[in-house]
Amino acid sequence: MDAQAGLPSTPAITPQQILAARAAIDPAFLDSPAMRHGALDEALGCACTLKVETLNPIRSFKGRGTEAVMAALEPRPQAVIATSSGNFGQGLARAAARRGVAVTIVAPAWANPLKLEAMRRLGATVRLAEPEDGAGKDLARRIAAETRALFVEDGGHPVISAGAGVIGQELTAAGHEVDDVVLQIGDGALATGIGSWFKAQAPGVRIVGVVARGAPAMAQSFAAGRAIDTPGTDTIADGMAISRPVPSAVAQLRACVDEILLVDDDAILAAARLLLRSAGVLAEPSGAAGLAAVMTNRDRFAGRRVATVITGSNLDAAFQARLLGG
């Protein structure tokens, strides 16, 4: 245990792990576009590079980590099970099917119906969990014990973070020089992976995490130095609606994230509209949350070179109507 932080001692994600993950990932998820747009820079008051992770088979960055973790499982299990509101589940379903592994996803009862259908289409058995099931993890662990499936926990496997870290590797390999990298925090794999890469390769870059104000568990845990559960979440950013942080993920975040900013749902919606109108890029709420943090902290980022990740574009009908109707 980390005596000061009260968290398990967790080794840092190394550049070697990230490069190994890159070699294991389906090329369909690699080398996503990094773009700038003058209208966006003008609106934000900074030079903003967008790493667009939506032009792949699941329209989300989650395919990187799920490919990496399924490739790393030795011996290969007959079945895996995980919890997901949708994007991680899609990635795991696709990666497992490619390797002949059965997959069950436990999703919250409130999950986006389009994401539920996408997981089923990719071959997953989907079980719905109620709040009393501990964000689905208690139910998933029970099913794993009953069926001998392997429980794969987003944020709990370093190789998942290493897969996400390839995004950072691609940014530096392409020569993008930045002052700040602004990263959404759900289970923590995105910020841990990319943050670890930059801390090793460009330590002067500041890593800024973003948490939805209506799902503050990760921000509270980061500040307290221990995993803190919250009784519920209230945000349109379903991919960031975390109520039960993974202790090892909190420890990893504290090792590579410099600060955390909170964003509310109105800012997320405004950022998604700005993104669509200025750069022609479609994003789901979690996908736009990093940009929302830049928008709502203009003085903090004024004149700086900023990179953020558009993490997904799997919109539900309600958000799409709000996005296009504003």
Side-chain angles (χ1 to χ4, degrees):
M1 298 286 288
D2 180 335
Q4 182 177 7
L7 289 166
S9 179
T10 307
I13 307 298
T14 67
Q16 292 74 23
Q17 286 174 297
I18 292 169
L19 291 171
R22 179 181 176 87
I25 294 171
D26 182 345
F29 295 101
L30 296 176
D31 299 312
S32 57
M35 61 174 288
R36 292 268 310 277
H37 198 289
L40 184 63
D41 288 354
E42 184 176 351
L44 296 172
C46 64
C48 185
T49 297
L50 305 174
K51 190 73 160 129
V52 183
E53 292 289 309
T54 63
L55 305 177
N56 60 58
I58 64 167
R59 296 166 61 174
S60 163
F61 84 99
K62 292 289 189 177
R64 294 175 181 262
T66 52
E67 274 285 306
V69 74
M70 286 304 304
L73 294 178
E74 292 292 344
R76 184 169 294 170
Q78 292 187 330
V80 294
I81 186 168
T83 60
S84 174
S85 62
N87 287 347
F88 181 79
Q90 288 182 67
L92 193 65
R94 185 180 185 277
R98 276 173 25 90
R99 294 165 175 85
V101 177
V103 60
T104 298
I105 302 297
V106 177
W110 47 259
N112 176 349
L114 297 178
K115 291 183 179 180
L116 295 177
E117 179 54 33
M119 289 188 284
R120 295 186 180 104
R121 186 173 62 250
L122 289 163
T125 297
V126 177
R127 295 276 300 268
L128 298 182
E130 299 298 336
E132 59 267 23
D133 290 312
K137 292 187 178 182
D138 294 342
L139 176 58
R141 288 191 171 96
R142 289 199 300 271
I143 296 172
E146 293 166 0
T147 63
R148 297 186 179 180
L150 177 68
F151 179 48
V152 178
E153 188 172 30
D154 194 7
H157 294 261
V159 70
I160 297 175
S161 298
V166 176
I167 297 170
Q169 181 269 328
E170 290 173 3
L171 283 168
T172 58
H176 295 283
E177 296 184 356
V178 296
D179 302 308
D180 305 280
V181 182
V182 182
L183 301 167
Q184 300 88 317
I185 296 177
D187 283 299
L190 181 75
T192 292
I194 298 176
S196 294
W197 178 265
F198 274 97
K199 289 303 177 187
Q201 302 296 317
V205 173
R206 192 162 180 82
I207 306 300
V208 181
V210 180
V211 171
R213 196 176 301 278
M218 274 299 201
Q220 293 176 4
S221 299
F222 184 88
R226 60 185 178 86
I228 296 176
D229 294 355
T230 56
T233 61
D234 182 17
T235 177
I236 58 175
D238 59 340
M240 300 167 68
I242 303 303
S243 60
R244 182 183 287 188
V246 178
S248 61
V250 177
Q252 292 278 19
L253 288 170
R254 285 173 61 90
C256 62
V257 172
D258 296 298
E259 64 178 301
I260 287 183
L261 302 176
L262 296 171
V263 293
D264 59 32
D265 285 359
D266 288 343
I268 290 172
L269 177 59
R273 285 176 176 158
L274 174 64
L275 188 64
L276 183 60
R277 291 170 180 171
S278 65
V281 176
L282 189 67
E284 64 185 87
S286 298
L291 192 67
V294 179
M295 280 182 62
T296 54
N297 293 272
R298 283 183 61 94
D299 290 346
R300 160 72 178 77
F301 297 105
R304 294 174 68 82
R305 299 168 299 177
V306 180
T308 191
V309 181
I310 309 304
T311 55
S313 62
N314 292 300
L315 289 70
D316 64 20
F319 184 74
Q320 182 172 320
R322 292 178 68 185
L323 177 63
L324 300 177

